[in-house]
Amino acid sequence: MVSKKVVVKNESGLHARPASVLVKTASRFKSDFFIKMYGYKVNGKSILGVMTLAAESGAEMELILEGPDEKEALEKIAELFENKFNMAS
């Protein structure tokens, strides 16, 4: 299992489009993916789970991955947060 804390850098938070990019990227990997935030733990491969977090800009969350490609998946997913999901803010 690997984990990493990240911050939502998009000005409008983790709304539908970046959440969709997150889920699509995570779904390419075999590893299980969970996001912990404010005491909640959701399935990071579920758009409903991710949207339930209603993560605003500046929100800190923990990405947790477990499986055969966990390190590669964590690297790609953390990159999305760092690059603001490749979207203008």
Side-chain angles (χ1 to χ4, degrees):
M1 182 180 84
V2 294
S3 66
K4 182 174 185 169
K5 289 190 177 182
V6 295
V7 174
V8 176
K9 295 183 175 182
N10 298 40
E11 282 186 27
S12 52
L14 195 54
H15 58 79
R17 283 193 295 156
S20 174
V21 171
L22 176 63
V23 169
K24 284 180 184 175
T25 300
S27 295
R28 292 192 332 232
F29 297 95
K30 293 180 180 174
S31 296
D32 292 330
F33 173 43
F34 296 96
I35 301 172
K36 282 178 81 175
M37 183 179 143
Y38 301 143
Y40 295 100
K41 183 177 177 182
V42 301
N43 181 349
K45 291 184 176 181
S46 163
I47 190 74
L48 287 177
V50 174
M51 294 299 295
T52 300
L53 294 173
E56 70 278 3
S57 180
E60 185 176 295
M61 54 181 58
E62 183 177 7
L63 311 175
I64 303 166
L65 290 111
E66 186 167 2
D69 52 3
E70 62 191 23
K71 290 180 182 173
E72 182 184 357
L74 179 60
E75 183 179 314
K76 291 291 182 192
I77 293 168
E79 263 180 40
L80 290 175
F81 282 88
E82 194 62 37
N83 297 327
K84 300 180 182 180
F85 298 89
N86 300 319
M87 296 178 190
S89 296

